[in-house]
Amino acid sequence: MQQWIETDLEEVIEKLPPRIAEKLVDREDSDELLEVVLDLGRTPEARFPDDTVVLSDREIDHNDLEYVTQNISPFGADNRAGIERTLHRISAIRNRTGKVVGLTVRVGRAVYGTIRIIEDIVRTGESILLLGKPGVGKTTMLRDVARVLADDAGKRVVIVDTSNEIAGDGDIPHPGIGSARRMQVPSPDQQHAVMIEAVENHMPEVIIIDEIGTELEANAARTIAERGVQLVATAHGNTLENLVQNPTLSDLIGGIQSVTLGDIEARRRRTQKTVLERKAPPTFDVLVEIQGRNNVLIALDVGETVDKVLRGFRVSLESRWVEENGEVRRAQFERSPSILVQGNSMGARSRFDYRPMEPVREQVAPPPSSYEPADGENGDEREETGLVSVMPYGVNKGKLQQAVQAVSAPIRIVDDLDDAELVLTTKSFYRRRTNALRNAEEQGRPVYVLRKNTTQQIHQFFRAITRDDGAHRQNQARIAGAIKEAEQAAEFIKQGERHAELSPQSSYVRHLQHQIAERHGLSSSSSGREPTRRVVMFDG
């Protein structure tokens, strides 16, 4: 990628006490400096990407701290200060009386060219929300977005700059933002008011905002978007699912509300009657998850993606990365949402669990199982006896045994998960997400959920087993074949093949094949359109 970096490192080094500045000037890797930490009564430290270096054996005293504070601009309400016309930031730590007892001198860098990976999206005029962990480059990308839209696209760009994070300290903004205009925010709690002021007073076509973090700011962002102004902003959170779970910021992606469905609609969806749905159109059209300096995941339709997350469906994102030769590459990437949706409740779930998020089911057949019994296990026994091995969990075992005998149901009750083909539990137990149920799902055992622990519900379960047994066996055979194909493909790639394209499968089977690729340390993506959509495995 065509990038170049502007540091102004001399400006920050000369603000440090001479005995500390001399140590930095003498270092060959000083251009990689991230920050200098000056804490009262401790030795000064310089932090580099891969190392922390002590700059002096003498501890920091009040004179050292005063030397720095007298050579920089005054601290604001957020205890941040800067150096005129640079991106460097100095943050203060104070004691209970307000006296400065520590300083963090952070080196700011203007990196030009970071926008290239999403430049085509930025130029469409759609509002874009950037997410990512601290230090991954969100603010750097915002700065480059402002410059490209103002200088190259010729748009009227206004930056709402809290703590002078984007355009640097002083009244004259850093040249890294190009000809974009900058409105300074006196204190963080006034950011929402300055956002509205920017629209009302200065007629921008684009507004750039760093770190939307409060409900007032989220409301201001929606107001701006409704006026037809393009928004490019960052927010607290690493992924889209983080915003879904954040009641303060969920309005950025449309807001989340609890809705009660009618009986017919609830049966059609196979969910509880109370579910979570998106409340309104999202404020932002596109969401970009910044994975690294040259790697992003993009949700090109935020509304559609949020709807899939709330229903527990796998979401399709566009993965983009930059090769060493500067070429931007793209691929489709699928993942399951990292939240568990059950009715109107959301619980935390591992981000790396790629199993499907099925809603609580009432008296319906379970999803196909990925479990394939080994030779000599209950799979062979079932073929011989026609019995289904069921482990009751939270269901009265005596009542279940009586019901089996009363109707001669093809059920064999077992106590051990290893001997079970499926697990029978109740809604109240399923909601608790106990270790036993998690283990069952992780091993591919279908979990049937009864609404209540009654004989009538158990009989309905028997009817579902009898009705769906033939189809279930066919599904099992088809899934077993797809799993075998994926395992063979993984072995071929390990032996030197560059990639392997599998047979078209349903979305559920595809995610099982994605799991197999991940287990073998391989990459995978889905290609094509339904009904011929398939998994492609590759080494990388």
Side-chain angles (χ1 to χ4, degrees), residues 83-266:
I83 302 172
E84 189 86 14
R85 297 200 187 190
T86 74
L87 301 174
H88 308 307
R89 188 181 76 196
I90 297 90
S91 302
I93 299 175
R94 300 180 184 271
N95 63 14
R96 287 166 42 177
T97 64
K99 191 170 184 178
V100 175
V101 295
L103 293 173
T104 302
V105 183
R106 181 178 176 182
V107 177
R109 290 174 170 84
V111 184
Y112 299 83
T114 61
I115 188 183
R116 183 181 169 191
I117 196 169
I118 59 168
E119 185 171 356
D120 58 321
I121 301 174
V122 170
R123 288 178 176 268
T124 63
E126 294 184 309
S127 292
I128 303 170
L129 184 63
L130 306 177
L131 299 179
K133 62 184 180 181
V136 78
K138 299 189 298 294
T139 305
T140 300
M141 188 172 285
L142 274 186
R143 191 178 298 119
D144 211 26
V145 167
R147 179 185 61 82
V148 169
L149 289 180
D151 292 356
D152 298 348
K155 293 189 175 183
R156 299 188 301 273
V157 180
V158 173
I159 298 172
V160 177
D161 200 3
T162 306
S163 304
N164 293 339
E165 187 77 9
I166 301 176
D169 201 62
D171 295 334
I172 301 175
H174 190 275
I177 67 169
S179 59
R181 305 179 73 188
R182 187 264 297 269
M183 294 183 66
Q184 299 186 45
V185 180
S187 62
D189 59 358
Q190 297 182 42
Q191 176 167 289
H192 67 282
V194 178
M195 290 166 62
I196 298 299
E197 180 186 342
V199 176
E200 293 178 342
N201 292 356
H202 303 289
M203 297 181 61
E205 295 176 284
V206 183
I207 287 186
I208 309 287
I209 308 162
D210 195 17
E211 294 292 359
I212 296 177
T214 68
E215 186 175 1
L216 288 174
E217 292 163 8
N219 291 337
R222 176 168 292 278
T223 300
I224 293 171
E226 289 172 349
R227 298 189 185 192
V229 178
Q230 181 183 6
L231 275 172
V232 184
T234 66
H236 299 292
N238 295 336
T239 65
L240 181 144
E241 288 93 336
N242 293 153
L243 297 187
V244 172
Q245 293 176 293
N246 188 330
T248 302
L249 298 181
S250 63
D251 187 60
L252 298 175
I253 53 174
I256 311 300
Q257 64 182 353
S258 179
V259 176
T260 301
L261 304 176
D263 292 339
I264 297 176
E265 180 64 15

Side-chain angles (χ1 to χ4, degrees), residues 39-61:
D39 286 336
L40 187 65
R42 296 182 177 179
T43 55
E45 293 181 346
R47 294 176 179 172
F48 295 86
D50 301 314
D51 194 16
T52 298
V53 178
V54 176
L55 297 176
S56 174
D57 294 334
R58 200 177 98 196
E59 296 177 347
I60 296 295
D61 56 28

